[in-house]
Amino acid sequence: MRTRTTKPKLPMRTTKISQKLKLFPEESEQPWFEDNEEIEVYNQIAKIPHGMEREEAEMLNKMDRSELSRMTAYCTASLYTPYAFVYPLSPPKQDSDSDRVNKTVRCPEIFLFDYGVVVFWGMSFKEEQRILKLLEPFEEEKLDGADVETEQFHYYYNESYQPRIYNDIITLRHPSNYLIKLTISHAIAQSVKMTLFERLIDDTINETKYIPQVMAESGNIHMSRTAITKKIGQLFIMRINVNLVSNILDTPEIFWSEPALEPLYSAIRGYLEISQRVELLNQRVEVISDLLEMLKDHLNSSHGEQLEWIVIWLIAMEIVVAVITTCLDAFNLSHK
């Protein structure tokens, strides 16, 4: 992929600055909890009175984000190859009395997605960079540093609040359910991958918007046939990449086997505005497709004009030869 010369500071979603509140759905069942643990995770609780959601969410703005745990997603490559990866920390020790995991120990969590995205929960920036360094041997089509896309959130636990996301701060009820974090990570990983292609589409449009302007002013494209062919190839590759990201944005297969997780996944996608961004992305791809067709038509038209001129010159040369031949025959006849 090409290196971008410019890069906006914010991802292409309004929730980065609009302070949108999204409440997560709650389930009355516990389909994700294992080993019959007694701790309640993500259970149905009494509905929060009308208006309280916003007031509680506003309290999050007063929090010091540096004191909250980080959740960061990185898109570093086109895809990750099969890997065997071991984080250098040992898992939490078990309590000898109850023979269950010590709930006070919160281990960082990493979710790797084969389309080149990794999501970290509960790690510092230095730890994330160390893990990214270890992942480099497994990256295909590694992105340059300027092209790496990131999404950063913060999260904390509060059993008395309905789970939610507001102003990129995620509220969860309990740390033990990794499937909830996996569900959230799926949506955020898709979002950060999509951000990469949004940037590439924008860069492609900015790099090629002069072509219609030149055609409107001069009626012609001042590009060689080779340059036009290269530009057509670049635009076609971009269309292929967008088709690939469309496949990535499909609902993950895990929600076929765990349908109770899908409402949470849909809520996160709604917060990240993925559906609206997909529609906008498709519109921009249509602009590129129109430009691609225009260049093809111009190329075919230029080739047709060249053939016409070749035929005209051949006819002209044939006429000239015929005139010269006729003149020579007439000259010879007049001197006999």
Side-chain angles (χ1 to χ4, degrees):
M1 296 184 179
R2 304 189 309 277
T3 301
R4 297 195 301 272
T5 55
T6 60
K7 182 177 178 181
K9 295 181 179 179
L10 296 175
M12 296 184 179
R13 57 180 175 89
T14 61
T15 47
K16 195 69 178 174
I17 55 177
S18 65
Q19 298 183 342
K20 178 180 178 180
L21 169 66
K22 192 72 174 181
L23 296 176
F24 295 163
E26 292 189 304
E27 300 293 337
S28 58
E29 300 177 356
Q30 303 181 26
W32 320 303
F33 211 65
E34 299 177 353
D35 298 331
N36 297 320
E37 293 184 358
E38 297 176 357
I39 299 176
E40 294 183 355
V41 177
Y42 215 60
N43 278 348
Q44 180 70 34
I45 60 174
K47 291 186 177 180
I48 301 173
H50 181 70
M52 289 296 293
E53 298 94 337
R54 179 63 61 181
E55 294 177 9
E56 293 168 355
E58 291 289 352
M59 293 174 57
L60 299 179
N61 285 333
K62 301 178 182 179
M63 289 186 173
D64 185 357
R65 293 184 183 235
S66 63
E67 297 180 356
L68 300 178
S69 300
R70 289 163 48 93
M71 193 277 285
T72 314
Y74 293 87
C75 178
T76 63
S78 292
L79 57 93
Y80 291 138
T81 55
Y83 45 81
F85 182 77
V86 178
Y87 185 62
L89 292 180
S90 59
K93 296 181 179 179
Q94 293 190 350
D95 189 344
S96 58
D97 296 333
S98 60
D99 195 31
R100 31 162 72 192
V101 176
N102 185 357
K103 300 302 185 299
T104 62
V105 178
R106 295 181 181 177
C107 228
E109 292 160 299
I110 305 173
F111 298 99
L112 289 159
F113 299 90
D114 58 0
Y115 46 83
V117 178
V118 56
V119 181
F120 298 100
W121 289 76
M123 287 190 173
S124 67
F125 177 76
K126 290 183 178 180
E127 290 175 326
E128 293 169 357
Q129 296 303 310
R130 184 169 71 250
I131 301 300
L132 290 176
K133 192 72 175 177
L134 295 174
L135 287 175
E136 288 183 359
F138 311 106
E139 296 174 340
E140 289 192 7
E141 298 183 20
K142 176 179 172 59
L143 300 178
D144 294 333
D147 292 330
V148 172
E149 295 291 348
T150 62
E151 279 268 33
Q152 181 174 319
F153 297 78
H154 293 83
Y155 68 97
Y156 73 105
Y157 302 101
N158 190 322
E159 294 186 2
S160 63
Y161 281 2
Q162 182 177 351
R164 69 194 63 199
I165 181 170
Y166 176 73
N167 199 20
D168 288 358
I169 297 179
I170 300 171
T171 305
L172 299 175
R173 294 194 63 197
H174 202 276
S176 62
N177 196 332
Y178 70 91
L179 280 179
I180 288 181
K181 292 181 179 178
L182 174 60
T183 301
I184 296 173
S185 298
H186 264 296
I188 292 176
Q190 291 175 333
S191 175
V192 74
K193 187 70 174 183
M194 187 177 175
T195 301
L196 172 66
F197 287 97
E198 288 171 335
R199 302 281 190 258
L200 292 175
I201 288 286
D202 278 355
D203 290 345
T204 300
I205 291 177
N206 290 332
E207 291 172 3
T208 56
K209 66 181 181 181
Y210 74 92
I211 296 177
Q213 292 175 351
V214 171
M215 290 188 67
E217 294 172 357
S218 64
N220 195 8
I221 300 178
H222 303 294
M223 299 172 65
S224 65
R225 183 179 180 85
T226 301
I228 292 177
T229 303
K230 287 182 178 179
K231 187 62 67 177
I232 289 175
Q234 293 174 1
L235 296 176
F236 191 71
I237 290 173
M238 180 57 61
R239 289 182 62 184
I240 292 175
N241 288 334
V242 171
N243 287 334
L244 291 176
V245 77
S246 298
N247 295 331
I248 292 171
L249 295 177
D250 290 341
T251 302
E253 294 181 1
I254 186 176
F255 302 122
W256 291 95
S257 58
E258 299 286 349
L261 293 170
E262 190 166 1
L264 173 60
Y265 170 73
S266 299
I268 292 292
R269 280 177 61 97
Y271 176 84
L272 297 171
E273 301 174 339
I274 289 181
S275 298
Q276 299 93 316
R277 291 162 63 192
V278 167
E279 183 178 353
L280 182 59
L281 187 65
N282 290 332
Q283 292 175 359
R284 291 175 176 172
V285 170
E286 289 179 3
V287 172
I288 291 181
S289 298
D290 292 341
L291 179 59
L292 180 59
E293 292 299 323
M294 183 182 68
L295 289 176
K296 287 181 179 178
D297 292 341
H298 178 78
L299 195 60
N300 294 333
S301 175
S302 300
H303 185 62
E305 290 178 1
Q306 290 178 356
L307 293 178
E308 290 176 0
W309 278 108
I310 291 173
V311 172
I312 291 172
W313 279 107
L314 289 175
I315 293 174
M317 291 178 63
E318 184 177 359
I319 292 173
V320 170
V321 170
V323 169
I324 294 175
T325 302
T326 303
C327 291
L328 290 175
D329 292 342
F331 180 79
N332 292 332
L333 288 174
S334 64
H335 285 78
K336 285 185 179 180

